Amino acid sequence: MLKVENITKSFGGVQAIRGSNFVVEKNKVTALIGPNGAGKTTLFDIIAGFVEPDMGRVLLNGDDVTQLLPHERADRGMSRTFQHARLFRYLTILDHLMMATDNADTKLWQNIWRRERVHCDEYDAILEQFGIKRTLDTPVSDLSYGQRKLLQIAMALRRGHQLLMLDEPVAGVNKVIQEKIEQLLLDLKARGETVLLIDHDMNFVRRLSDRVICLDAGMVVAAGTPNEVLSDPKVMEAYLGK
Amino acid sequence: MTAYLVQVFTLILIYIIVAASLNLAIGFTGLLSLGHVALFGIGAYTSAILTKDVGVPFMPAFFMAGLLSSLSRLFLTVVTQKLRGDYFAFVTLGFNFLVVALAQNWISLTRGSLGIPGIPRPVIFGLTIKSGGPFLLLTTVVTIGSLFFLYRLTRSRYGRLLEAVRDDSVGASALGKDVYRLKYQCFVVSAFFTGLAGSLFAHFIQFIDPTSFYLSDIIIVLTIVITGGLASLTGSILGGFIILAIPEILRFLPITPEAVGPLRQMIYSVILILILLFRPRGILGKVDID
Ligand SMILES: Nc1ncnc2c1ncn2[C@@H]1O[C@H](COP(=O)(O)OP(=O)(O)OP(=O)(O)O)[C@@H](O)[C@H]1O
Ligand SMILES: [Mg+2]
């Protein structure tokens, strides 16, 4: 599904990514782990097109997408969330979900002449499914941190997608929401979705993922099944420091 | 007295079109775009030259004014594509100088500083639109049409998407939205209506020269937009009436006519500063833009 080839990236003097290679297999949940500053988010940004790599290629279903803009990659089926939810401060929950639904909103003329019909039931069902106990007309500025994360995942799923990329979906949220998100992700896994996710919680990663990739100082130090990777001494070393 | 009020009202409506379009360009992209006086001038010159020198009827000339203004804005957008913040503001401001210099020096086309006198009255379906009431009616129709379009645009999903792009373009592009194209469109639409307003202005005043498009005008329009509130069209309409009524009141005060101009500029600047200090969102604005 996704192939990352020889990616390198420096920010000024900081070598954030040093020649990373890995694949994300179709219908599998792959976890990207690694200590703070390992370069996980930077890799996400490179895969999704927000950061240009100094070298290397990103392939989606065998196509080189390295030159494509973020929105073009999104249209090819990459759907991502951000470590800190990126929501639009003056818009409502409904606005967000509709924006994720389709690109009809980018059509200038259509929007001027046609009145849109909104199927609120459909959107209410999403809130129900994600356990967001708010009404659709709630401005996102009123949401809690956890609710923002939930909404962001709901949006990423709502978009037509092949590959779901989640940057720390459960970090910083309370136990209840954490369990909710884990359940949602287990459902996705059962449905055979292809997921690439970043997380720090080893138990969470073990319960959820089919494959684990460990990144340290911009390099892939281990890749394989959760058991293999999590018992790898190099991974221990990466986390505990040398 | 009535004739005088009709004149003032016509001019206020023309300015409201410019202010509402400028508000689209600034309030819905978050970029301080300051080239609108030039775009207004391009509209005015296009329409004046086409009707007077080329003999094109008013209606096509009127739309060409909008179109050429849009094209110029497209050019400016390409040039400023990579710029942000202050740099973007500077270059778009500089665009005004470029256009005024063109109007001054491209004498074969614009007659330079002599200006273009005797711009014909608009003729629509064989009907000559006389000054006064009929011209006010024409201006009102164009104003309502423009505002209706802009209103529909900003209140639609498209408008909400523009707000999303303004507030977080990274987040919007992650949702598959082509943020560059949206900004282009926004600027081009904004320029179109400004060009139409320029055409109306030319046929209203019937004489234009490079000084008709003083840079100080950008302060007036900006004051209207900021007083009314960014991203609020109703605010721009209200702002237009408030800001433009002020100099008219000055005329009835015991001040020498020569003092009116500078005093007006001073009042605008003071209003702008007061609003920015004490009510940065303006009268009806609902958003803050960093
Ligand atoms: N835009 C940037 N400019 C400069 N340095 C950056 C930038 N983005 C990331 N870095 C640096 O690159 C390195 C990798 O950062 P990155 O955010 O990818 O780590 P991470 O693995 O996601 O960490 P965390 O677990 O804390 O989220 C860090 O040293 C960071 O300081
Ligand atoms: Mg990170």
Side-chain angles (χ1 to χ4, degrees), chain A residues 52-88:
Chain A
E52 210 180 318
D54 299 333
M55 261 194 332
R57 300 198 301 165
V58 177
L59 296 134
L60 185 67
N61 294 321
D63 297 336
D64 187 346
V65 296
T66 322
Q67 302 303 323
L68 297 187
L69 292 168
H71 72 91
E72 294 168 324
R73 299 191 203 194
D75 284 343
R76 289 211 182 185
M78 284 189 188
S79 194
R80 78 169 289 190
T81 64
F82 295 87
Q83 196 164 344
H84 300 286
R86 283 183 172 266
L87 302 179
F88 313 108

mmCIF file of all heavy atoms in Angstrom, chain A residues 52-88:
data_model
loop_
_atom_site.group_PDB
_atom_site.id
_atom_site.type_symbol
_atom_site.label_atom_id
_atom_site.label_comp_id
_atom_site.label_asym_id
_atom_site.label_seq_id
_atom_site.Cartn_x
_atom_site.Cartn_y
_atom_site.Cartn_z
ATOM 1 N N GLU A 52 8.666 18.598 2.562
ATOM 2 C CA GLU A 52 9.370 18.030 1.411
ATOM 3 C C GLU A 52 10.635 17.335 1.903
ATOM 4 O O GLU A 52 11.425 17.941 2.619
ATOM 5 C CB GLU A 52 9.744 19.174 0.469
ATOM 6 C CG GLU A 52 9.799 18.773 -0.973
ATOM 7 C CD GLU A 52 10.184 19.961 -1.845
ATOM 8 O OE1 GLU A 52 9.670 21.080 -1.597
ATOM 9 O OE2 GLU A 52 11.006 19.760 -2.730
ATOM 10 N N PRO A 53 10.852 16.081 1.522
ATOM 11 C CA PRO A 53 12.077 15.403 1.977
ATOM 12 C C PRO A 53 13.287 15.912 1.200
ATOM 13 O O PRO A 53 13.139 16.403 0.085
ATOM 14 C CB PRO A 53 11.805 13.933 1.647
ATOM 15 C CG PRO A 53 10.853 13.955 0.502
ATOM 16 C CD PRO A 53 10.024 15.209 0.669
ATOM 17 N N ASP A 54 14.482 15.816 1.797
ATOM 18 C CA ASP A 54 15.690 16.193 1.062
ATOM 19 C C ASP A 54 15.993 15.132 0.006
ATOM 20 O O ASP A 54 16.490 15.434 -1.069
ATOM 21 C CB ASP A 54 16.886 16.297 2.021
ATOM 22 C CG ASP A 54 16.647 17.366 3.073
ATOM 23 O OD1 ASP A 54 15.889 18.307 2.779
ATOM 24 O OD2 ASP A 54 17.193 17.254 4.189
ATOM 25 N N MET A 55 15.693 13.898 0.353
ATOM 26 C CA MET A 55 15.939 12.791 -0.564
ATOM 27 C C MET A 55 14.887 11.735 -0.323
ATOM 28 O O MET A 55 14.248 11.711 0.711
ATOM 29 C CB MET A 55 17.328 12.197 -0.298
ATOM 30 C CG MET A 55 18.363 12.701 -1.271
ATOM 31 S SD MET A 55 19.883 11.799 -1.296
ATOM 32 C CE MET A 55 20.116 11.094 0.281
ATOM 33 N N GLY A 56 14.758 10.817 -1.293
ATOM 34 C CA GLY A 56 13.886 9.676 -1.098
ATOM 35 C C GLY A 56 12.531 9.817 -1.760
ATOM 36 O O GLY A 56 12.211 10.875 -2.300
ATOM 37 N N ARG A 57 11.789 8.722 -1.704
ATOM 38 C CA ARG A 57 10.498 8.698 -2.385
ATOM 39 C C ARG A 57 9.408 8.126 -1.495
ATOM 40 O O ARG A 57 9.677 7.341 -0.588
ATOM 41 C CB ARG A 57 10.575 7.801 -3.624
ATOM 42 C CG ARG A 57 11.610 8.246 -4.649
ATOM 43 C CD ARG A 57 11.329 7.614 -5.988
ATOM 44 N NE ARG A 57 11.342 6.160 -5.951
ATOM 45 C CZ ARG A 57 10.839 5.384 -6.917
ATOM 46 N NH1 ARG A 57 10.259 5.943 -7.982
ATOM 47 N NH2 ARG A 57 10.906 4.073 -6.822
ATOM 48 N N VAL A 58 8.179 8.546 -1.801
ATOM 49 C CA VAL A 58 7.013 7.980 -1.135
ATOM 50 C C VAL A 58 6.155 7.356 -2.222
ATOM 51 O O VAL A 58 5.837 8.019 -3.213
ATOM 52 C CB VAL A 58 6.200 9.074 -0.399
ATOM 53 C CG1 VAL A 58 4.948 8.481 0.221
ATOM 54 C CG2 VAL A 58 7.051 9.763 0.653
ATOM 55 N N LEU A 59 5.844 6.076 -2.073
ATOM 56 C CA LEU A 59 5.033 5.407 -3.091
ATOM 57 C C LEU A 59 3.712 4.964 -2.488
ATOM 58 O O LEU A 59 3.689 4.377 -1.404
ATOM 59 C CB LEU A 59 5.772 4.187 -3.638
ATOM 60 C CG LEU A 59 7.069 4.526 -4.372
ATOM 61 C CD1 LEU A 59 8.165 3.615 -3.926
ATOM 62 C CD2 LEU A 59 6.874 4.462 -5.856
ATOM 63 N N LEU A 60 2.627 5.275 -3.198
ATOM 64 C CA LEU A 60 1.308 4.851 -2.750
ATOM 65 C C LEU A 60 0.763 3.910 -3.820
ATOM 66 O O LEU A 60 0.588 4.325 -4.978
ATOM 67 C CB LEU A 60 0.396 6.068 -2.573
ATOM 68 C CG LEU A 60 -0.989 5.787 -2.003
ATOM 69 C CD1 LEU A 60 -0.917 5.314 -0.568
ATOM 70 C CD2 LEU A 60 -1.878 7.029 -2.101
ATOM 71 N N ASN A 61 0.525 2.678 -3.465
ATOM 72 C CA ASN A 61 0.100 1.655 -4.432
ATOM 73 C C ASN A 61 1.017 1.607 -5.654
ATOM 74 O O ASN A 61 0.563 1.507 -6.778
ATOM 75 C CB ASN A 61 -1.333 1.924 -4.905
ATOM 76 C CG ASN A 61 -2.324 1.772 -3.771
ATOM 77 O OD1 ASN A 61 -2.194 0.874 -2.947
ATOM 78 N ND2 ASN A 61 -3.285 2.675 -3.702
ATOM 79 N N GLY A 62 2.294 1.751 -5.407
ATOM 80 C CA GLY A 62 3.257 1.671 -6.495
ATOM 81 C C GLY A 62 3.478 2.979 -7.252
ATOM 82 O O GLY A 62 4.414 3.096 -8.031
ATOM 83 N N ASP A 63 2.620 3.990 -7.038
ATOM 84 C CA ASP A 63 2.818 5.272 -7.705
ATOM 85 C C ASP A 63 3.692 6.192 -6.866
ATOM 86 O O ASP A 63 3.465 6.323 -5.665
ATOM 87 C CB ASP A 63 1.473 5.999 -7.928
ATOM 88 C CG ASP A 63 0.561 5.217 -8.846
ATOM 89 O OD1 ASP A 63 1.080 4.410 -9.646
ATOM 90 O OD2 ASP A 63 -0.664 5.405 -8.743
ATOM 91 N N ASP A 64 4.629 6.847 -7.520
ATOM 92 C CA ASP A 64 5.461 7.822 -6.823
ATOM 93 C C ASP A 64 4.628 9.085 -6.573
ATOM 94 O O ASP A 64 4.188 9.747 -7.503
ATOM 95 C CB ASP A 64 6.671 8.155 -7.702
ATOM 96 C CG ASP A 64 7.669 9.036 -6.966
ATOM 97 O OD1 ASP A 64 7.301 9.582 -5.908
ATOM 98 O OD2 ASP A 64 8.801 9.172 -7.455
ATOM 99 N N VAL A 65 4.383 9.404 -5.318
ATOM 100 C CA VAL A 65 3.563 10.582 -5.005
ATOM 101 C C VAL A 65 4.411 11.699 -4.390
ATOM 102 O O VAL A 65 3.869 12.697 -3.902
ATOM 103 C CB VAL A 65 2.387 10.235 -4.053
ATOM 104 C CG1 VAL A 65 1.427 9.276 -4.722
ATOM 105 C CG2 VAL A 65 2.884 9.657 -2.737
ATOM 106 N N THR A 66 5.727 11.537 -4.425
ATOM 107 C CA THR A 66 6.618 12.477 -3.734
ATOM 108 C C THR A 66 6.420 13.924 -4.176
ATOM 109 O O THR A 66 6.610 14.843 -3.391
ATOM 110 C CB THR A 66 8.093 12.070 -3.939
ATOM 111 O OG1 THR A 66 8.185 10.651 -3.900
ATOM 112 C CG2 THR A 66 8.984 12.672 -2.879
ATOM 113 N N GLN A 67 6.044 14.117 -5.438
ATOM 114 C CA GLN A 67 5.905 15.484 -5.934
ATOM 115 C C GLN A 67 4.497 16.050 -5.723
ATOM 116 O O GLN A 67 4.251 17.213 -6.051
ATOM 117 C CB GLN A 67 6.233 15.551 -7.440
ATOM 118 C CG GLN A 67 7.634 15.064 -7.797
ATOM 119 C CD GLN A 67 8.709 15.826 -7.042
ATOM 120 O OE1 GLN A 67 8.595 17.027 -6.824
ATOM 121 N NE2 GLN A 67 9.742 15.116 -6.608
ATOM 122 N N LEU A 68 3.585 15.230 -5.251
ATOM 123 C CA LEU A 68 2.191 15.700 -5.145
ATOM 124 C C LEU A 68 1.981 16.585 -3.918
ATOM 125 O O LEU A 68 2.629 16.421 -2.890
ATOM 126 C CB LEU A 68 1.227 14.518 -5.076
ATOM 127 C CG LEU A 68 1.170 13.594 -6.300
ATOM 128 C CD1 LEU A 68 0.033 12.586 -6.130
ATOM 129 C CD2 LEU A 68 0.946 14.401 -7.579
ATOM 130 N N LEU A 69 1.053 17.515 -4.051
ATOM 131 C CA LEU A 69 0.689 18.396 -2.939
ATOM 132 C C LEU A 69 -0.191 17.633 -1.937
ATOM 133 O O LEU A 69 -0.793 16.620 -2.297
ATOM 134 C CB LEU A 69 -0.078 19.610 -3.475
ATOM 135 C CG LEU A 69 0.754 20.571 -4.327
ATOM 136 C CD1 LEU A 69 -0.136 21.576 -5.041
ATOM 137 C CD2 LEU A 69 1.772 21.281 -3.440
ATOM 138 N N PRO A 70 -0.248 18.133 -0.689
ATOM 139 C CA PRO A 70 -1.027 17.425 0.338
ATOM 140 C C PRO A 70 -2.466 17.109 -0.101
ATOM 141 O O PRO A 70 -2.942 15.992 0.098
ATOM 142 C CB PRO A 70 -1.033 18.407 1.508
ATOM 143 C CG PRO A 70 0.183 19.219 1.331
ATOM 144 C CD PRO A 70 0.442 19.304 -0.138
ATOM 145 N N HIS A 71 -3.130 18.090 -0.726
ATOM 146 C CA HIS A 71 -4.535 17.834 -1.069
ATOM 147 C C HIS A 71 -4.654 16.785 -2.167
ATOM 148 O O HIS A 71 -5.623 16.026 -2.221
ATOM 149 C CB HIS A 71 -5.254 19.127 -1.442
ATOM 150 C CG HIS A 71 -4.869 19.704 -2.755
ATOM 151 N ND1 HIS A 71 -5.522 19.393 -3.925
ATOM 152 C CD2 HIS A 71 -3.886 20.540 -3.097
ATOM 153 C CE1 HIS A 71 -4.958 20.038 -4.922
ATOM 154 N NE2 HIS A 71 -3.960 20.736 -4.454
ATOM 155 N N GLU A 72 -3.627 16.703 -3.019
ATOM 156 C CA GLU A 72 -3.651 15.679 -4.063
ATOM 157 C C GLU A 72 -3.457 14.291 -3.464
ATOM 158 O O GLU A 72 -4.093 13.324 -3.876
ATOM 159 C CB GLU A 72 -2.567 15.963 -5.110
ATOM 160 C CG GLU A 72 -2.832 17.241 -5.884
ATOM 161 C CD GLU A 72 -1.643 17.705 -6.718
ATOM 162 O OE1 GLU A 72 -0.485 17.547 -6.284
ATOM 163 O OE2 GLU A 72 -1.884 18.233 -7.810
ATOM 164 N N ARG A 73 -2.589 14.225 -2.456
ATOM 165 C CA ARG A 73 -2.390 12.931 -1.795
ATOM 166 C C ARG A 73 -3.640 12.548 -1.019
ATOM 167 O O ARG A 73 -4.006 11.379 -0.969
ATOM 168 C CB ARG A 73 -1.187 12.993 -0.858
ATOM 169 C CG ARG A 73 0.079 13.323 -1.633
ATOM 170 C CD ARG A 73 1.300 13.134 -0.774
ATOM 171 N NE ARG A 73 2.404 13.935 -1.293
ATOM 172 C CZ ARG A 73 3.664 13.797 -0.925
ATOM 173 N NH1 ARG A 73 3.985 12.894 -0.028
ATOM 174 N NH2 ARG A 73 4.592 14.566 -1.439
ATOM 175 N N ALA A 74 -4.288 13.557 -0.414
ATOM 176 C CA ALA A 74 -5.530 13.282 0.308
ATOM 177 C C ALA A 74 -6.564 12.720 -0.664
ATOM 178 O O ALA A 74 -7.267 11.757 -0.353
ATOM 179 C CB ALA A 74 -6.046 14.548 0.977
ATOM 180 N N ASP A 75 -6.625 13.305 -1.863
ATOM 181 C CA ASP A 75 -7.595 12.820 -2.837
ATOM 182 C C ASP A 75 -7.247 11.422 -3.343
ATOM 183 O O ASP A 75 -8.106 10.714 -3.850
ATOM 184 C CB ASP A 75 -7.707 13.798 -4.014
ATOM 185 C CG ASP A 75 -8.520 15.027 -3.626
ATOM 186 O OD1 ASP A 75 -9.235 14.947 -2.597
ATOM 187 O OD2 ASP A 75 -8.435 16.050 -4.318
ATOM 188 N N ARG A 76 -5.983 11.035 -3.192
ATOM 189 C CA ARG A 76 -5.609 9.669 -3.582
ATOM 190 C C ARG A 76 -5.824 8.672 -2.465
ATOM 191 O O ARG A 76 -5.461 7.513 -2.580
ATOM 192 C CB ARG A 76 -4.151 9.637 -3.983
ATOM 193 C CG ARG A 76 -3.910 10.336 -5.291
ATOM 194 C CD ARG A 76 -2.762 9.677 -5.971
ATOM 195 N NE ARG A 76 -2.454 10.342 -7.215
ATOM 196 C CZ ARG A 76 -1.542 9.890 -8.053
ATOM 197 N NH1 ARG A 76 -0.873 8.789 -7.750
ATOM 198 N NH2 ARG A 76 -1.305 10.529 -9.160
ATOM 199 N N GLY A 77 -6.364 9.170 -1.355
ATOM 200 C CA GLY A 77 -6.739 8.215 -0.310
ATOM 201 C C GLY A 77 -5.915 8.242 0.959
ATOM 202 O O GLY A 77 -6.035 7.377 1.799
ATOM 203 N N MET A 78 -5.041 9.242 1.098
ATOM 204 C CA MET A 78 -4.337 9.364 2.378
ATOM 205 C C MET A 78 -5.174 10.264 3.269
ATOM 206 O O MET A 78 -5.458 11.391 2.924
ATOM 207 C CB MET A 78 -2.986 10.047 2.190
ATOM 208 C CG MET A 78 -1.929 9.176 1.584
ATOM 209 S SD MET A 78 -0.372 10.070 1.713
ATOM 210 C CE MET A 78 0.682 9.013 0.735
ATOM 211 N N SER A 79 -5.544 9.747 4.431
ATOM 212 C CA SER A 79 -6.366 10.539 5.330
ATOM 213 C C SER A 79 -5.654 10.575 6.668
ATOM 214 O O SER A 79 -5.383 9.539 7.253
ATOM 215 C CB SER A 79 -7.733 9.876 5.458
ATOM 216 O OG SER A 79 -8.644 10.753 6.034
ATOM 217 N N ARG A 80 -5.306 11.755 7.124
ATOM 218 C CA ARG A 80 -4.491 11.821 8.333
ATOM 219 C C ARG A 80 -5.091 12.683 9.428
ATOM 220 O O ARG A 80 -5.920 13.555 9.170
ATOM 221 C CB ARG A 80 -3.103 12.369 8.004
ATOM 222 C CG ARG A 80 -3.101 13.865 7.841
ATOM 223 C CD ARG A 80 -1.704 14.434 7.790
ATOM 224 N NE ARG A 80 -1.040 14.385 9.085
ATOM 225 C CZ ARG A 80 0.118 14.993 9.351
ATOM 226 N NH1 ARG A 80 0.735 15.654 8.412
ATOM 227 N NH2 ARG A 80 0.648 14.938 10.540
ATOM 228 N N THR A 81 -4.633 12.425 10.649
ATOM 229 C CA THR A 81 -4.943 13.337 11.744
ATOM 230 C C THR A 81 -3.620 13.923 12.223
ATOM 231 O O THR A 81 -2.555 13.457 11.844
ATOM 232 C CB THR A 81 -5.605 12.609 12.926
ATOM 233 O OG1 THR A 81 -4.675 11.676 13.467
ATOM 234 C CG2 THR A 81 -6.861 11.894 12.496
ATOM 235 N N PHE A 82 -3.718 14.940 13.044
ATOM 236 C CA PHE A 82 -2.520 15.603 13.549
ATOM 237 C C PHE A 82 -2.370 15.343 15.045
ATOM 238 O O PHE A 82 -3.358 15.112 15.746
ATOM 239 C CB PHE A 82 -2.600 17.108 13.294
ATOM 240 C CG PHE A 82 -2.599 17.456 11.833
ATOM 241 C CD1 PHE A 82 -3.782 17.491 11.106
ATOM 242 C CD2 PHE A 82 -1.410 17.724 11.166
ATOM 243 C CE1 PHE A 82 -3.781 17.795 9.749
ATOM 244 C CE2 PHE A 82 -1.398 18.019 9.820
ATOM 245 C CZ PHE A 82 -2.577 18.062 9.112
ATOM 246 N N GLN A 83 -1.139 15.438 15.512
ATOM 247 C CA GLN A 83 -0.856 15.207 16.923
ATOM 248 C C GLN A 83 -1.724 16.122 17.795
ATOM 249 O O GLN A 83 -2.293 15.710 18.776
ATOM 250 C CB GLN A 83 0.636 15.469 17.165
ATOM 251 C CG GLN A 83 1.144 14.925 18.467
ATOM 252 C CD GLN A 83 2.673 14.850 18.474
ATOM 253 O OE1 GLN A 83 3.331 14.931 17.434
ATOM 254 N NE2 GLN A 83 3.241 14.704 19.640
ATOM 255 N N HIS A 84 -1.806 17.403 17.394
ATOM 256 C CA HIS A 84 -2.738 18.327 18.043
ATOM 257 C C HIS A 84 -3.798 18.646 17.007
ATOM 258 O O HIS A 84 -3.485 19.186 15.957
ATOM 259 C CB HIS A 84 -2.032 19.595 18.495
ATOM 260 C CG HIS A 84 -0.942 19.297 19.475
ATOM 261 N ND1 HIS A 84 -1.207 18.949 20.776
ATOM 262 C CD2 HIS A 84 0.400 19.238 19.320
ATOM 263 C CE1 HIS A 84 -0.064 18.688 21.392
ATOM 264 N NE2 HIS A 84 0.925 18.858 20.534
ATOM 265 N N ALA A 85 -5.039 18.266 17.326
ATOM 266 C CA ALA A 85 -6.122 18.370 16.354
ATOM 267 C C ALA A 85 -6.136 19.730 15.672
ATOM 268 O O ALA A 85 -6.040 20.760 16.340
ATOM 269 C CB ALA A 85 -7.456 18.111 17.043
ATOM 270 N N ARG A 86 -6.212 19.716 14.364
ATOM 271 C CA ARG A 86 -6.311 20.970 13.617
ATOM 272 C C ARG A 86 -7.764 21.162 13.214
ATOM 273 O O ARG A 86 -8.241 20.557 12.279
ATOM 274 C CB ARG A 86 -5.437 20.911 12.370
ATOM 275 C CG ARG A 86 -3.971 21.101 12.676
ATOM 276 C CD ARG A 86 -3.181 21.095 11.407
ATOM 277 N NE ARG A 86 -1.806 21.456 11.656
ATOM 278 C CZ ARG A 86 -1.315 22.686 11.560
ATOM 279 N NH1 ARG A 86 -2.099 23.677 11.199
ATOM 280 N NH2 ARG A 86 -0.048 22.925 11.787
ATOM 281 N N LEU A 87 -8.439 22.037 13.970
ATOM 282 C CA LEU A 87 -9.829 22.324 13.647
ATOM 283 C C LEU A 87 -9.929 23.810 13.320
ATOM 284 O O LEU A 87 -8.999 24.573 13.584
ATOM 285 C CB LEU A 87 -10.727 21.949 14.821
ATOM 286 C CG LEU A 87 -10.657 20.475 15.267
ATOM 287 C CD1 LEU A 87 -11.566 20.237 16.462
ATOM 288 C CD2 LEU A 87 -11.043 19.534 14.134
ATOM 289 N N PHE A 88 -11.049 24.202 12.762
ATOM 290 C CA PHE A 88 -11.206 25.583 12.290
ATOM 291 C C PHE A 88 -12.041 26.362 13.289
ATOM 292 O O PHE A 88 -13.218 26.077 13.489
ATOM 293 C CB PHE A 88 -11.816 25.567 10.897
ATOM 294 C CG PHE A 88 -11.117 24.579 10.005
ATOM 295 C CD1 PHE A 88 -11.727 23.405 9.628
ATOM 296 C CD2 PHE A 88 -9.804 24.811 9.602
ATOM 297 C CE1 PHE A 88 -11.056 22.471 8.842
ATOM 298 C CE2 PHE A 88 -9.127 23.893 8.817
ATOM 299 C CZ PHE A 88 -9.751 22.721 8.440
#
